[in-house]
Amino acid sequence: MEISVNGKSVLELNQPQPFHREDFVCIKVDETVEHIYIYKENKSEKFVAFGLTYPNIKGVPLRTIDSIANKLRLLKRDVYAETGYISYRMEIANEMTTPFVVIMCKYVFYFGFLLGDNSRGPETMIVLLGVRKFRTSGFKPDY
């Protein structure tokens, strides 16, 4: 298994890497290689990507989000009283972030973003937060 930015810069667990709007995450599992664009729509049937917020534009049910979020024990569930939205968040380098996940090849990949240091440029950093096995029974990857 290999996870990288643009197929070049390997993402190691909890090691931030620079990430720009035109970049993609490349995930290779055995013979399957997918390019996941975070800021563009992806049209692959081999993976699904979404944020850990409910409700969401993908229509992922709350029980699925809860199940995925609970696999990464560092996440804290927040319920926003005014809107009723539910999100899972965690603190990384003194910043709160809502991770997004990619489900592919019976694995769930957890990613987070850190805002860039605007004094040196508006550079965002991406962080691999974890990888867990994922049983796809009852999960519809066509959300």
Side-chain angles (χ1 to χ4, degrees):
M1 179 182 308
E2 184 177 290
I3 305 161
S4 63
V5 175
N6 298 330
K8 299 174 186 172
S9 211
V10 174
L11 269 174
E12 298 290 342
L13 192 63
N14 297 319
Q15 298 297 314
Q17 294 282 334
F19 195 82
H20 300 91
R21 291 190 75 74
E22 64 276 358
D23 290 341
F24 60 87
V25 173
C26 180
I27 299 177
K28 180 179 180 184
V29 178
D30 299 324
E31 299 301 314
T32 303
V33 178
E34 288 292 333
H35 295 174
I36 295 112
Y37 289 89
I38 307 307
Y39 296 107
K40 298 178 187 175
E41 187 171 340
N42 294 283
K43 302 216 184 232
S44 176
E45 294 180 6
K46 294 183 181 176
F47 72 88
V48 63
F50 54 89
L52 293 178
T53 301
Y54 179 83
N56 55 67
I57 61 172
K58 297 272 185 166
V60 179
L62 180 57
R63 71 178 182 282
T64 302
I65 292 172
D66 286 341
S67 172
I68 291 168
N70 289 332
K71 290 180 185 302
L72 194 67
R73 300 189 192 281
L74 305 170
L75 299 176
K76 178 183 174 243
R77 187 179 204 229
D78 287 329
V79 178
Y80 299 93
E82 288 183 23
T83 62
Y85 276 59
I86 298 168
S87 71
Y88 283 89
R89 300 173 50 118
M90 69 182 300
E91 188 171 335
I92 306 172
N94 297 322
E95 281 184 43
M96 290 302 285
T97 186
T98 299
F100 72 93
V101 297
V102 175
I103 298 174
M104 173 180 147
C105 297
K106 297 184 181 181
Y107 290 95
V108 60
F109 301 86
Y110 298 82
F111 297 94
F113 284 117
L114 300 174
L115 298 177
D117 179 356
N118 289 321
S119 66
R120 291 183 283 159
E123 195 170 78
T124 299
M125 304 289 268
I126 190 169
V127 182
L128 175 64
L129 302 172
V131 178
R132 302 287 189 272
K133 284 203 173 274
F134 184 72
R135 285 185 309 165
T136 55
S137 62
F139 180 76
K140 293 189 248 170
D142 59 339
Y143 290 120

